[in-house]
């Protein structure tokens, strides 16, 4: 509270937090262009938002935060930009390990990680191992991730288990199928945030967002800092989630 004006964080009800927040971080390139800088400058500035949003989520007591850091389709970007993003990822993982440890945050990764350069994979495994003792928030990075890749991959693994007699076709249901996704064991996102004024899902968590609240903002990712995150959570708390039921049923 500053000068008697309640700030946005104080307006959030700690009893009604989303347990899982997913974010499509978009707009680094446009943010940089508007400043007459190159796209890589935009990504570097985006890392500051990654830190702030991670801290903000941990401060509130959110259990899972998933960030879409690199999609399967991003491999089609210019080589130079891909290399810069990979380098940035490794340097950020190195410099932020301490922050993850002091904030009791566990790092996880979803996606086709085997396709990442070995130096990135090695760094990821080191940080995942080091932070595996932490019991607070899970920070999940989606890397070389796309939802269709994940769903097809799950179908293949399930088909193999059926062939080998480990699973019976008649037993397959939503819960069993979910276990074959890379998000197995992680609850579905309660809210999905997308920055930069685009109204798309872009192949992100298609299965998992069946009942998620969608939050779109025009703010570009490098400008999406703590207060913007708190604003999104506040708005989430003021929506009525019905999961296909009527408003009256929910109120009863
Ligand atoms: C979208 O902006 C952003 C990305 C493709 C990469 C996000 C990566 C970071 C914020 C940095 C590294 C991440 C971590 C976790 C340390 P865009 O390039 O699509 O922007 P545009 O739509 O304006 O071109």
């Amino acid at each position: 509270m500053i000068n008697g004006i309640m700030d946005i964080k104080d307006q959030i009800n700690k009893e009604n937090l989303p347990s899982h927040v997913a974010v499509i971080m978009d707009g680094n390139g446009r943010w940089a262009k508007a400043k007459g800088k190159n796209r890589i400058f935009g990504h570097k500035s985006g890392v500051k938002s990654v830190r702030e949003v991670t801290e903000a989520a941990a401060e509130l007591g959110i259990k899972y935060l998933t960030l879409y850091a690199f999609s399967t389709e991003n491999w089609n970007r210019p080589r130079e930009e891909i290399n810069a993003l990979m380098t940035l990822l490794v340097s950020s993982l190195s410099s932020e390990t301490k922050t993850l440890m002091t904030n009791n945050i566990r790092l996880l990764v979803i996606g086709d990680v085997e396709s990442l350069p070995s130096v990135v994979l090695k760094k990821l495994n080191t940080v995942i191992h080091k932070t595996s003792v932490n019991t607070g928030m899970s920070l999940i990075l989606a890397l070389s991730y796309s939802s269709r890749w994940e769903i097809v991959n799950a179908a293949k693994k399930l088909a193999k288990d059926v062939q080998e007699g480990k699973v019976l076709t008649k037993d397959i249901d939503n819960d069993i199928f979910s276990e074959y996704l890379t998000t197995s064991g992680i609850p579905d996102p309660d809210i999905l945030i997308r920055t930069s004024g685009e109204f798309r899902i872009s192949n992100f968590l298609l299965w998992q967002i069946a009942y998620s609240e969608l939050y779109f903002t025009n703010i570009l990712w490098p400008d999406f800092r703590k207060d913007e995150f708190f604003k999104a959570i506040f708005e989430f708390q003021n929506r009525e989630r019905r999961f296909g039921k009527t408003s009256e049923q929910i109120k009863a």
Side-chain angles (χ1 to χ4, degrees):
M1 182 116 61
I2 304 158
N3 299 331
I5 302 164
M6 217 176 162
D7 63 39
I8 184 80
K9 188 182 174 190
D10 297 328
Q11 294 179 56
I12 292 171
N13 173 5
K14 294 281 170 53
E15 307 302 313
N16 179 29
L17 289 171
S19 92
H20 184 176
V21 179
V23 187
I24 302 176
M25 311 182 284
D26 195 11
N28 293 348
R30 276 164 285 162
W31 184 89
K33 197 174 175 192
K35 293 189 153 37
K37 307 271 182 149
N38 65 20
R39 300 179 53 80
I40 293 157
F41 179 76
H43 296 315
K44 285 185 179 158
S45 306
V47 174
K48 292 183 196 142
S49 297
V50 170
R51 184 185 308 125
E52 285 216 6
V53 166
T54 303
E55 277 176 5
E59 275 171 30
L60 286 179
I62 283 166
K63 292 276 170 239
Y64 300 89
L65 174 68
T66 300
L67 303 177
Y68 204 2
F70 195 84
S71 72
T72 310
E73 291 77 16
N74 286 153
W75 290 116
N76 298 321
R77 291 199 173 188
R79 193 74 253 172
E80 189 184 54
E81 184 173 344
I82 295 174
N83 291 345
L85 277 168
M86 294 298 147
T87 306
L88 200 54
L89 197 60
V90 173
S91 63
S92 305
L93 285 168
S94 298
S95 61
E96 300 305 324
T97 307
K98 234 171 86 186
T99 319
L100 296 178
M101 295 310 291
T102 47
N103 288 287
N104 196 21
I105 299 170
R106 180 171 68 136
L107 183 77
L108 299 172
V109 64
I110 56 169
D112 185 12
V113 285
E114 299 300 324
S115 65
L116 293 166
S118 58
V119 51
V120 177
L121 197 52
K122 207 168 144 225
K123 186 84 231 177
L124 275 170
N125 284 332
T126 306
V127 183
I128 289 170
H129 181 73
K130 183 146 196 227
T131 60
S132 64
V133 293
N134 293 340
T135 53
M137 186 175 81
S138 294
L139 171 64
I140 304 149
L141 292 185
L143 287 168
S144 194
Y145 176 89
S146 82
S147 207
R148 287 184 173 178
W149 165 83
E150 178 185 42
I151 291 168
V152 169
N153 207 41
K156 281 187 195 162
K157 287 192 287 179
L158 182 52
K160 187 164 173 277
D161 281 357
V162 169
Q163 253 172 357
E164 291 173 2
K166 292 180 186 154
V167 178
L168 298 175
T169 302
K170 72 170 178 54
D171 291 338
I172 298 172
D173 59 11
N174 288 344
D175 290 339
I176 293 203
F177 193 81
S178 295
E179 286 170 20
Y180 287 82
L181 297 168
T182 58
T183 50
S184 172
I186 299 168
D188 288 342
D190 301 289
I191 170 173
L192 171 68
I193 298 170
R194 182 172 192 150
T195 61
S196 93
E198 305 288 0
F199 301 100
R200 287 191 288 275
I201 303 300
S202 301
N203 217 347
F204 191 45
L205 302 175
L206 298 178
W207 170 279
Q208 297 87 341
I209 60 165
Y211 286 102
S212 304
E213 291 297 323
L214 305 181
Y215 178 89
F216 297 102
T217 169
N218 287 332
I219 306 280
L220 303 173
W221 179 250
D223 288 330
F224 193 88
R225 297 294 168 90
K226 282 193 179 183
D227 274 359
E228 290 297 333
F229 183 79
F230 293 141
K231 226 163 93 182
I233 304 305
F234 181 72
E235 177 170 326
F236 165 83
Q237 294 188 327
N238 288 288
R239 294 200 191 167
E240 181 188 64
R241 303 185 77 196
R242 292 199 291 274
F243 302 97
K245 295 185 179 171
T246 67
S247 187
E248 289 68 27
Q249 283 176 303
I250 298 295
K251 285 182 181 117

